[in-house]
Amino acid sequence: MIHCTAENLPRGLGRNTNARLFVAARKLGIENHPGSKSVRPVSDLGPFDTDIVLPPFHGLSPLTGSSLDSLLRNSGVRALVVMGVSLNVAIPNLVFDAVNRSYQVVLVSDSVAGVPQEYGAQMIEHTLTLVCAIASSEEIVDAWAEPARIGSVP
């Protein structure tokens, strides 16, 4: 699993300042220093020994603000299973960036969040369903647990 965190370099080097979101975070004192509690993955989700934590230091999408795209392509990855926050900004940005780079994308509908909650559901229903597959976490677990059927027709 790759955890893409939203970190800032020390002294704010390279930090975005061109959107109200970034200005508001700074005014609230949110600094997102590497290793700080505000940027760590939720402990129940890792990181585990085989996980990678990859911080984009600028921008709104890990595919444009980090080396994630190169790492995935060099590893032969062609499909992404996306979960996280937020359906207001980061998740749609990631999904569109992935689709624009020819990845197949599956959004895990019960493992994403937006504010208000109704908006998140509407973003999935009216926008993201147009560009990616939608599945529940249970459907993902079931699909990964099912042994591959060589030669079967879908």
Side-chain angles (χ1 to χ4, degrees), residues 80-130:
L80 305 181
V81 177
V82 174
M83 45 191 139
V85 294
S86 89
L87 284 166
N88 297 74
V89 178
I91 296 298
N93 199 328
L94 171 59
V95 169
F96 291 134
D97 283 350
V99 169
N100 287 337
R101 287 168 176 74
S102 301
Y103 290 99
Q104 293 293 318
V105 179
V106 178
L107 179 76
V108 186
S109 60
D110 56 351
S111 297
V112 290
V115 177
Q117 187 174 5
E118 298 79 24
Y119 173 79
Q122 291 174 354
M123 171 59 78
I124 292 170
E125 180 183 352
H126 299 294
T127 303
L128 297 177
T129 57
L130 301 173

